[in-house]
Amino acid sequence: NRRLKDRSLGLYSISVGVLSNLAVLAVAGEYRAIYLVFCVTPFLSAAFKLTLRQVAGLLGLSQVGHLLVIAGLWLAGQPISVGYELALWLVLSVELLVVSQVSISVAAMRRHLLAAYGEAERLATADPLTGVLNRRALFDSIDVALRDPEPRKGDDTVLALIDLDHFKAINDTHGHDIGDQLLVAFTAAVRANIRSTDRFGRYGGDEFVLFLRGTTRELAMSVFERIQGALAAIQLPGLAKPPSASIGAITVFRGLSVDEAIRRAEAVLYEVKRNGRAHAPIVDGDK
């Protein structure tokens, strides 16, 4: 088993166990009833790992193999009591059917646990309103990306801090429901204009972080422009003019922490807002 890629009791290792037990059955002689004890063990292990189809396949292997071993012993001239062997086979069939019921129950519990774990993981990493990465998951994701090998030569890593313009005024004037709708529509617009490998999450309130790895400044700027265009196309009841956002972006170099990268992007964002512009050219992070 230690030679296998999957060292847990998987299909192949349990199959070896079933075949080993059949070998015991072939050499046990008049003590073949001991096979009843050994045969169940692999199936108890299978209940915690395998699918129902795989368990059924192993049951078939065990039962057909049992009959073939007995037939081989009979053809070899060994004294065989057909009634005794048939009774042994039937008892074993009942045992394995009971074990298969355990497998069904365990498999159902495993499916429910995996679904619950997936939902818990999603809730732990997603912003409850917009569904994008929350702050903790966003920082962890970027931190992992920053430890990856550098992009190919000529590519950049860009981090952008995005702030919705006049969001507090929208909330105060039109209510938090409209503000929430704007956040949801904005995140949907951003996700439609970025790659699946890009990291995008909510930094807090109406501020979001977009992390683009393996891109160029020109491509990153085109992404910002598409986001601005998609944001301007959002129509919500009561809004007199299309929403907009300010974007401060920097290039990120290896060794820069997430907190420091966001702090530098925040300084660029404040400069952008002071100048009344949607976004400025991407600034070198080391400057």
mmCIF file of all heavy atoms in Angstrom, residues 1 4 6 8-24 35 38-47 49-51 53-63 65:
data_model
loop_
_atom_site.group_PDB
_atom_site.id
_atom_site.type_symbol
_atom_site.label_atom_id
_atom_site.label_comp_id
_atom_site.label_asym_id
_atom_site.label_seq_id
_atom_site.Cartn_x
_atom_site.Cartn_y
_atom_site.Cartn_z
ATOM 1 N N ASN A 1 0.831 -1.211 0.000
ATOM 2 C CA ASN A 1 0.000 0.000 0.000
ATOM 3 C C ASN A 1 0.860 1.254 0.000
ATOM 4 O O ASN A 1 0.479 2.267 -0.569
ATOM 5 C CB ASN A 1 -0.923 -0.028 1.226
ATOM 6 C CG ASN A 1 -1.952 1.089 1.166
ATOM 7 O OD1 ASN A 1 -2.631 1.243 0.165
ATOM 8 N ND2 ASN A 1 -2.042 1.874 2.212
ATOM 9 N N LEU A 4 1.568 2.921 -3.349
ATOM 10 C CA LEU A 4 0.485 3.551 -4.099
ATOM 11 C C LEU A 4 0.503 5.060 -3.904
ATOM 12 O O LEU A 4 0.918 5.566 -2.868
ATOM 13 C CB LEU A 4 -0.868 2.981 -3.660
ATOM 14 C CG LEU A 4 -1.062 1.466 -3.848
ATOM 15 C CD1 LEU A 4 -2.401 1.038 -3.266
ATOM 16 C CD2 LEU A 4 -0.988 1.101 -5.324
ATOM 17 N N ASP A 6 -2.152 6.956 -3.656
ATOM 18 C CA ASP A 6 -3.113 7.221 -2.584
ATOM 19 C C ASP A 6 -2.900 6.163 -1.507
ATOM 20 O O ASP A 6 -3.248 4.999 -1.688
ATOM 21 C CB ASP A 6 -4.545 7.146 -3.129
ATOM 22 C CG ASP A 6 -5.586 7.421 -2.046
ATOM 23 O OD1 ASP A 6 -5.186 7.739 -0.916
ATOM 24 O OD2 ASP A 6 -6.787 7.311 -2.348
ATOM 25 N N SER A 8 -4.245 5.905 1.410
ATOM 26 C CA SER A 8 -5.416 5.508 2.180
ATOM 27 C C SER A 8 -5.992 4.235 1.566
ATOM 28 O O SER A 8 -5.575 3.795 0.495
ATOM 29 C CB SER A 8 -6.459 6.622 2.166
ATOM 30 O OG SER A 8 -6.886 6.873 0.832
ATOM 31 N N LEU A 9 -6.948 3.626 2.253
ATOM 32 C CA LEU A 9 -7.523 2.387 1.738
ATOM 33 C C LEU A 9 -8.488 2.718 0.610
ATOM 34 O O LEU A 9 -9.675 2.939 0.828
ATOM 35 C CB LEU A 9 -8.225 1.641 2.872
ATOM 36 C CG LEU A 9 -7.270 0.951 3.853
ATOM 37 C CD1 LEU A 9 -8.034 0.384 5.038
ATOM 38 C CD2 LEU A 9 -6.491 -0.141 3.166
ATOM 39 N N GLY A 10 -7.966 2.754 -0.590
ATOM 40 C CA GLY A 10 -8.774 3.038 -1.770
ATOM 41 C C GLY A 10 -9.176 1.772 -2.479
ATOM 42 O O GLY A 10 -9.027 0.662 -1.974
ATOM 43 N N LEU A 11 -9.696 1.909 -3.689
ATOM 44 C CA LEU A 11 -10.238 0.783 -4.431
ATOM 45 C C LEU A 11 -9.190 -0.301 -4.672
ATOM 46 O O LEU A 11 -9.447 -1.487 -4.463
ATOM 47 C CB LEU A 11 -10.812 1.272 -5.770
ATOM 48 C CG LEU A 11 -11.365 0.189 -6.696
ATOM 49 C CD1 LEU A 11 -12.535 -0.531 -6.043
ATOM 50 C CD2 LEU A 11 -11.787 0.792 -8.029
ATOM 51 N N TYR A 12 -7.976 0.093 -5.103
ATOM 52 C CA TYR A 12 -6.973 -0.904 -5.456
ATOM 53 C C TYR A 12 -6.455 -1.646 -4.230
ATOM 54 O O TYR A 12 -6.292 -2.862 -4.248
ATOM 55 C CB TYR A 12 -5.822 -0.232 -6.213
ATOM 56 C CG TYR A 12 -6.264 0.377 -7.516
ATOM 57 C CD1 TYR A 12 -6.295 1.750 -7.694
ATOM 58 C CD2 TYR A 12 -6.680 -0.437 -8.569
ATOM 59 C CE1 TYR A 12 -6.721 2.309 -8.884
ATOM 60 C CE2 TYR A 12 -7.108 0.111 -9.765
ATOM 61 C CZ TYR A 12 -7.125 1.488 -9.921
ATOM 62 O OH TYR A 12 -7.559 2.028 -11.095
ATOM 63 N N SER A 13 -6.200 -0.911 -3.166
ATOM 64 C CA SER A 13 -5.673 -1.580 -1.974
ATOM 65 C C SER A 13 -6.720 -2.488 -1.337
ATOM 66 O O SER A 13 -6.400 -3.571 -0.834
ATOM 67 C CB SER A 13 -5.168 -0.542 -0.955
ATOM 68 O OG SER A 13 -6.145 0.424 -0.699
ATOM 69 N N ILE A 14 -7.985 -2.088 -1.368
ATOM 70 C CA ILE A 14 -9.036 -2.949 -0.811
ATOM 71 C C ILE A 14 -9.247 -4.167 -1.710
ATOM 72 O O ILE A 14 -9.530 -5.270 -1.232
ATOM 73 C CB ILE A 14 -10.334 -2.151 -0.616
ATOM 74 C CG1 ILE A 14 -10.111 -1.064 0.453
ATOM 75 C CG2 ILE A 14 -11.474 -3.055 -0.177
ATOM 76 C CD1 ILE A 14 -11.295 -0.153 0.671
ATOM 77 N N SER A 15 -9.092 -3.980 -3.031
ATOM 78 C CA SER A 15 -9.181 -5.129 -3.952
ATOM 79 C C SER A 15 -8.098 -6.148 -3.633
ATOM 80 O O SER A 15 -8.334 -7.364 -3.661
ATOM 81 C CB SER A 15 -9.039 -4.651 -5.401
ATOM 82 O OG SER A 15 -10.077 -3.773 -5.753
ATOM 83 N N VAL A 16 -6.881 -5.648 -3.321
ATOM 84 C CA VAL A 16 -5.801 -6.557 -2.912
ATOM 85 C C VAL A 16 -6.196 -7.312 -1.648
ATOM 86 O O VAL A 16 -5.929 -8.516 -1.497
ATOM 87 C CB VAL A 16 -4.493 -5.776 -2.697
ATOM 88 C CG1 VAL A 16 -3.420 -6.659 -2.057
ATOM 89 C CG2 VAL A 16 -3.993 -5.225 -4.021
ATOM 90 N N GLY A 17 -6.859 -6.617 -0.730
ATOM 91 C CA GLY A 17 -7.326 -7.273 0.485
ATOM 92 C C GLY A 17 -8.332 -8.381 0.197
ATOM 93 O O GLY A 17 -8.267 -9.466 0.792
ATOM 94 N N VAL A 18 -9.266 -8.116 -0.721
ATOM 95 C CA VAL A 18 -10.257 -9.131 -1.091
ATOM 96 C C VAL A 18 -9.572 -10.342 -1.717
ATOM 97 O O VAL A 18 -9.868 -11.502 -1.383
ATOM 98 C CB VAL A 18 -11.299 -8.526 -2.065
ATOM 99 C CG1 VAL A 18 -12.201 -9.620 -2.629
ATOM 100 C CG2 VAL A 18 -12.138 -7.474 -1.355
ATOM 101 N N LEU A 19 -8.632 -10.108 -2.640
ATOM 102 C CA LEU A 19 -7.925 -11.209 -3.294
ATOM 103 C C LEU A 19 -7.063 -11.988 -2.300
ATOM 104 O O LEU A 19 -6.940 -13.215 -2.389
ATOM 105 C CB LEU A 19 -7.070 -10.660 -4.435
ATOM 106 C CG LEU A 19 -7.852 -10.036 -5.601
ATOM 107 C CD1 LEU A 19 -6.893 -9.386 -6.596
ATOM 108 C CD2 LEU A 19 -8.715 -11.084 -6.298
ATOM 109 N N SER A 20 -6.470 -11.279 -1.344
ATOM 110 C CA SER A 20 -5.678 -11.958 -0.311
ATOM 111 C C SER A 20 -6.562 -12.875 0.524
ATOM 112 O O SER A 20 -6.167 -13.999 0.886
ATOM 113 C CB SER A 20 -4.988 -10.927 0.583
ATOM 114 O OG SER A 20 -4.125 -10.115 -0.170
ATOM 115 N N ASN A 21 -7.753 -12.422 0.839
ATOM 116 C CA ASN A 21 -8.682 -13.248 1.603
ATOM 117 C C ASN A 21 -9.103 -14.482 0.819
ATOM 118 O O ASN A 21 -9.298 -15.570 1.383
ATOM 119 C CB ASN A 21 -9.905 -12.433 2.006
ATOM 120 C CG ASN A 21 -9.601 -11.462 3.129
ATOM 121 O OD1 ASN A 21 -8.663 -11.670 3.896
ATOM 122 N ND2 ASN A 21 -10.380 -10.407 3.236
ATOM 123 N N LEU A 22 -9.264 -14.323 -0.499
ATOM 124 C CA LEU A 22 -9.602 -15.479 -1.332
ATOM 125 C C LEU A 22 -8.452 -16.495 -1.316
ATOM 126 O O LEU A 22 -8.679 -17.712 -1.367
ATOM 127 C CB LEU A 22 -9.905 -15.034 -2.760
ATOM 128 C CG LEU A 22 -11.214 -14.247 -2.945
ATOM 129 C CD1 LEU A 22 -11.328 -13.702 -4.363
ATOM 130 C CD2 LEU A 22 -12.419 -15.128 -2.611
ATOM 131 N N ALA A 23 -7.215 -15.979 -1.253
ATOM 132 C CA ALA A 23 -6.065 -16.877 -1.137
ATOM 133 C C ALA A 23 -6.118 -17.642 0.185
ATOM 134 O O ALA A 23 -5.805 -18.844 0.251
ATOM 135 C CB ALA A 23 -4.765 -16.086 -1.251
ATOM 136 N N VAL A 24 -6.509 -16.961 1.272
ATOM 137 C CA VAL A 24 -6.679 -17.623 2.567
ATOM 138 C C VAL A 24 -7.731 -18.724 2.458
ATOM 139 O O VAL A 24 -7.568 -19.830 2.965
ATOM 140 C CB VAL A 24 -7.069 -16.592 3.646
ATOM 141 C CG1 VAL A 24 -7.482 -17.288 4.939
ATOM 142 C CG2 VAL A 24 -5.927 -15.637 3.911
ATOM 143 N N TYR A 35 -12.673 -17.685 7.043
ATOM 144 C CA TYR A 35 -12.784 -16.686 5.956
ATOM 145 C C TYR A 35 -13.903 -15.689 6.234
ATOM 146 O O TYR A 35 -13.840 -14.537 5.822
ATOM 147 C CB TYR A 35 -13.023 -17.433 4.642
ATOM 148 C CG TYR A 35 -13.245 -16.540 3.438
ATOM 149 C CD1 TYR A 35 -12.216 -15.751 2.937
ATOM 150 C CD2 TYR A 35 -14.483 -16.498 2.801
ATOM 151 C CE1 TYR A 35 -12.412 -14.950 1.822
ATOM 152 C CE2 TYR A 35 -14.688 -15.704 1.692
ATOM 153 C CZ TYR A 35 -13.652 -14.934 1.209
ATOM 154 O OH TYR A 35 -13.842 -14.140 0.110
ATOM 155 N N PHE A 38 -12.322 -12.785 8.126
ATOM 156 C CA PHE A 38 -11.396 -11.951 7.364
ATOM 157 C C PHE A 38 -12.083 -11.204 6.221
ATOM 158 O O PHE A 38 -11.688 -10.090 5.874
ATOM 159 C CB PHE A 38 -10.258 -12.812 6.801
ATOM 160 C CG PHE A 38 -9.289 -13.266 7.827
ATOM 161 C CD1 PHE A 38 -9.255 -14.594 8.214
ATOM 162 C CD2 PHE A 38 -8.412 -12.381 8.427
ATOM 163 C CE1 PHE A 38 -8.356 -15.027 9.173
ATOM 164 C CE2 PHE A 38 -7.509 -12.810 9.378
ATOM 165 C CZ PHE A 38 -7.479 -14.137 9.757
ATOM 166 N N CYS A 39 -13.103 -11.800 5.637
ATOM 167 C CA CYS A 39 -13.693 -11.237 4.416
ATOM 168 C C CYS A 39 -14.367 -9.899 4.661
ATOM 169 O O CYS A 39 -14.390 -9.031 3.793
ATOM 170 C CB CYS A 39 -14.703 -12.228 3.839
ATOM 171 S SG CYS A 39 -15.408 -11.697 2.274
ATOM 172 N N VAL A 40 -14.931 -9.728 5.861
ATOM 173 C CA VAL A 40 -15.708 -8.520 6.139
ATOM 174 C C VAL A 40 -14.804 -7.293 6.295
ATOM 175 O O VAL A 40 -15.191 -6.177 5.967
ATOM 176 C CB VAL A 40 -16.562 -8.732 7.408
ATOM 177 C CG1 VAL A 40 -17.299 -7.449 7.790
ATOM 178 C CG2 VAL A 40 -17.576 -9.848 7.166
ATOM 179 N N THR A 41 -13.576 -7.513 6.758
ATOM 180 C CA THR A 41 -12.698 -6.389 7.101
ATOM 181 C C THR A 41 -12.479 -5.394 5.959
ATOM 182 O O THR A 41 -12.632 -4.185 6.159
ATOM 183 C CB THR A 41 -11.349 -6.921 7.608
ATOM 184 O OG1 THR A 41 -11.578 -7.835 8.666
ATOM 185 C CG2 THR A 41 -10.481 -5.780 8.105
ATOM 186 N N PRO A 42 -12.135 -5.839 4.735
ATOM 187 C CA PRO A 42 -11.939 -4.848 3.660
ATOM 188 C C PRO A 42 -13.193 -4.027 3.367
ATOM 189 O O PRO A 42 -13.108 -2.851 3.027
ATOM 190 C CB PRO A 42 -11.544 -5.705 2.455
ATOM 191 C CG PRO A 42 -11.040 -6.978 3.032
ATOM 192 C CD PRO A 42 -11.825 -7.205 4.272
ATOM 193 N N PHE A 43 -14.370 -4.655 3.534
ATOM 194 C CA PHE A 43 -15.607 -3.940 3.211
ATOM 195 C C PHE A 43 -15.957 -2.902 4.277
ATOM 196 O O PHE A 43 -16.589 -1.888 3.989
ATOM 197 C CB PHE A 43 -16.749 -4.938 3.019
ATOM 198 C CG PHE A 43 -16.589 -5.752 1.764
ATOM 199 C CD1 PHE A 43 -15.999 -6.996 1.796
ATOM 200 C CD2 PHE A 43 -16.989 -5.243 0.542
ATOM 201 C CE1 PHE A 43 -15.823 -7.731 0.647
ATOM 202 C CE2 PHE A 43 -16.825 -5.974 -0.620
ATOM 203 C CZ PHE A 43 -16.239 -7.226 -0.572
ATOM 204 N N LEU A 44 -15.526 -3.155 5.502
ATOM 205 C CA LEU A 44 -15.699 -2.118 6.531
ATOM 206 C C LEU A 44 -14.840 -0.903 6.191
ATOM 207 O O LEU A 44 -15.246 0.246 6.395
ATOM 208 C CB LEU A 44 -15.317 -2.680 7.901
ATOM 209 C CG LEU A 44 -16.263 -3.734 8.484
ATOM 210 C CD1 LEU A 44 -15.694 -4.287 9.786
ATOM 211 C CD2 LEU A 44 -17.649 -3.142 8.724
ATOM 212 N N SER A 45 -13.643 -1.153 5.673
ATOM 213 C CA SER A 45 -12.788 -0.042 5.239
ATOM 214 C C SER A 45 -13.380 0.653 4.022
ATOM 215 O O SER A 45 -13.343 1.879 3.909
ATOM 216 C CB SER A 45 -11.384 -0.563 4.913
ATOM 217 O OG SER A 45 -10.825 -1.215 6.024
ATOM 218 N N ALA A 46 -13.935 -0.129 3.093
ATOM 219 C CA ALA A 46 -14.496 0.446 1.869
ATOM 220 C C ALA A 46 -15.653 1.396 2.162
ATOM 221 O O ALA A 46 -15.885 2.356 1.426
ATOM 222 C CB ALA A 46 -14.964 -0.675 0.939
ATOM 223 N N ALA A 47 -16.369 1.139 3.253
ATOM 224 C CA ALA A 47 -17.529 1.971 3.581
ATOM 225 C C ALA A 47 -17.151 3.425 3.795
ATOM 226 O O ALA A 47 -17.967 4.324 3.603
ATOM 227 C CB ALA A 47 -18.220 1.424 4.839
ATOM 228 N N LYS A 49 -14.607 5.076 2.237
ATOM 229 C CA LYS A 49 -13.815 5.664 1.174
ATOM 230 C C LYS A 49 -14.476 5.588 -0.195
ATOM 231 O O LYS A 49 -14.425 6.527 -0.978
ATOM 232 C CB LYS A 49 -12.446 4.952 1.126
ATOM 233 C CG LYS A 49 -11.512 5.421 0.019
ATOM 234 C CD LYS A 49 -10.890 6.746 0.329
ATOM 235 C CE LYS A 49 -9.864 7.125 -0.723
ATOM 236 N NZ LYS A 49 -9.264 8.426 -0.484
ATOM 237 N N LEU A 50 -15.119 4.455 -0.492
ATOM 238 C CA LEU A 50 -15.533 4.166 -1.856
ATOM 239 C C LEU A 50 -16.973 4.556 -2.124
ATOM 240 O O LEU A 50 -17.782 4.743 -1.207
ATOM 241 C CB LEU A 50 -15.342 2.671 -2.150
ATOM 242 C CG LEU A 50 -13.940 2.102 -1.897
ATOM 243 C CD1 LEU A 50 -13.885 0.659 -2.351
ATOM 244 C CD2 LEU A 50 -12.872 2.933 -2.589
ATOM 245 N N THR A 51 -17.292 4.636 -3.414
ATOM 246 C CA THR A 51 -18.672 4.887 -3.827
ATOM 247 C C THR A 51 -19.454 3.578 -3.769
ATOM 248 O O THR A 51 -18.885 2.479 -3.683
ATOM 249 C CB THR A 51 -18.717 5.434 -5.259
ATOM 250 O OG1 THR A 51 -18.224 4.419 -6.162
ATOM 251 C CG2 THR A 51 -17.843 6.683 -5.394
ATOM 252 N N ARG A 53 -21.046 2.129 -6.142
ATOM 253 C CA ARG A 53 -20.741 1.305 -7.309
ATOM 254 C C ARG A 53 -19.450 0.526 -7.093
ATOM 255 O O ARG A 53 -19.350 -0.652 -7.462
ATOM 256 C CB ARG A 53 -20.630 2.189 -8.553
ATOM 257 C CG ARG A 53 -20.297 1.430 -9.829
ATOM 258 C CD ARG A 53 -20.335 2.334 -11.035
ATOM 259 N NE ARG A 53 -21.680 2.849 -11.275
ATOM 260 C CZ ARG A 53 -21.994 3.665 -12.280
ATOM 261 N NH1 ARG A 53 -21.045 4.071 -13.128
ATOM 262 N NH2 ARG A 53 -23.226 4.098 -12.441
ATOM 263 N N GLN A 54 -18.455 1.175 -6.492
ATOM 264 C CA GLN A 54 -17.201 0.479 -6.230
ATOM 265 C C GLN A 54 -17.384 -0.624 -5.188
ATOM 266 O O GLN A 54 -16.818 -1.711 -5.321
ATOM 267 C CB GLN A 54 -16.144 1.480 -5.763
ATOM 268 C CG GLN A 54 -15.678 2.432 -6.856
ATOM 269 C CD GLN A 54 -14.801 3.539 -6.315
ATOM 270 O OE1 GLN A 54 -14.969 4.002 -5.187
ATOM 271 N NE2 GLN A 54 -13.840 3.978 -7.120
ATOM 272 N N VAL A 55 -18.188 -0.354 -4.148
ATOM 273 C CA VAL A 55 -18.462 -1.380 -3.144
ATOM 274 C C VAL A 55 -19.177 -2.566 -3.779
ATOM 275 O O VAL A 55 -18.864 -3.732 -3.497
ATOM 276 C CB VAL A 55 -19.299 -0.790 -1.991
ATOM 277 C CG1 VAL A 55 -19.751 -1.896 -1.037
ATOM 278 C CG2 VAL A 55 -18.492 0.248 -1.223
ATOM 279 N N ALA A 56 -20.146 -2.278 -4.674
ATOM 280 C CA ALA A 56 -20.860 -3.364 -5.356
ATOM 281 C C ALA A 56 -19.904 -4.195 -6.206
ATOM 282 O O ALA A 56 -20.014 -5.428 -6.260
ATOM 283 C CB ALA A 56 -21.977 -2.774 -6.217
ATOM 284 N N GLY A 57 -18.951 -3.546 -6.865
ATOM 285 C CA GLY A 57 -17.962 -4.274 -7.655
ATOM 286 C C GLY A 57 -17.113 -5.190 -6.800
ATOM 287 O O GLY A 57 -16.823 -6.339 -7.174
ATOM 288 N N LEU A 58 -16.715 -4.695 -5.617
ATOM 289 C CA LEU A 58 -15.928 -5.525 -4.704
ATOM 290 C C LEU A 58 -16.745 -6.690 -4.161
ATOM 291 O O LEU A 58 -16.227 -7.799 -3.972
ATOM 292 C CB LEU A 58 -15.406 -4.674 -3.550
ATOM 293 C CG LEU A 58 -14.293 -3.669 -3.898
ATOM 294 C CD1 LEU A 58 -13.979 -2.795 -2.694
ATOM 295 C CD2 LEU A 58 -13.042 -4.405 -4.362
ATOM 296 N N LEU A 59 -18.033 -6.457 -3.905
ATOM 297 C CA LEU A 59 -18.900 -7.549 -3.462
ATOM 298 C C LEU A 59 -18.974 -8.634 -4.527
ATOM 299 O O LEU A 59 -18.906 -9.834 -4.216
ATOM 300 C CB LEU A 59 -20.307 -7.014 -3.159
ATOM 301 C CG LEU A 59 -20.470 -6.189 -1.879
ATOM 302 C CD1 LEU A 59 -21.853 -5.556 -1.824
ATOM 303 C CD2 LEU A 59 -20.254 -7.063 -0.659
ATOM 304 N N GLY A 60 -19.127 -8.207 -5.772
ATOM 305 C CA GLY A 60 -19.173 -9.174 -6.869
ATOM 306 C C GLY A 60 -17.867 -9.946 -6.978
ATOM 307 O O GLY A 60 -17.862 -11.176 -7.158
ATOM 308 N N LEU A 61 -16.733 -9.236 -6.860
ATOM 309 C CA LEU A 61 -15.431 -9.887 -6.916
ATOM 310 C C LEU A 61 -15.291 -10.925 -5.809
ATOM 311 O O LEU A 61 -14.821 -12.054 -6.037
ATOM 312 C CB LEU A 61 -14.321 -8.835 -6.791
ATOM 313 C CG LEU A 61 -12.883 -9.353 -6.660
ATOM 314 C CD1 LEU A 61 -12.468 -10.081 -7.939
ATOM 315 C CD2 LEU A 61 -11.925 -8.198 -6.369
ATOM 316 N N SER A 62 -15.728 -10.564 -4.604
ATOM 317 C CA SER A 62 -15.597 -11.463 -3.462
ATOM 318 C C SER A 62 -16.457 -12.712 -3.628
ATOM 319 O O SER A 62 -15.979 -13.839 -3.441
ATOM 320 C CB SER A 62 -15.981 -10.721 -2.179
ATOM 321 O OG SER A 62 -15.935 -11.587 -1.064
ATOM 322 N N GLN A 63 -17.712 -12.514 -4.001
ATOM 323 C CA GLN A 63 -18.630 -13.644 -4.071
ATOM 324 C C GLN A 63 -18.331 -14.560 -5.253
ATOM 325 O O GLN A 63 -18.355 -15.784 -5.131
ATOM 326 C CB GLN A 63 -20.077 -13.139 -4.128
ATOM 327 C CG GLN A 63 -20.538 -12.451 -2.847
ATOM 328 C CD GLN A 63 -20.420 -13.363 -1.643
ATOM 329 O OE1 GLN A 63 -19.331 -13.508 -1.075
ATOM 330 N NE2 GLN A 63 -21.520 -13.991 -1.261
ATOM 331 N N GLY A 65 -15.426 -14.760 -6.749
ATOM 332 C CA GLY A 65 -14.138 -15.361 -6.427
ATOM 333 C C GLY A 65 -14.274 -16.527 -5.461
ATOM 334 O O GLY A 65 -13.593 -17.550 -5.585
#
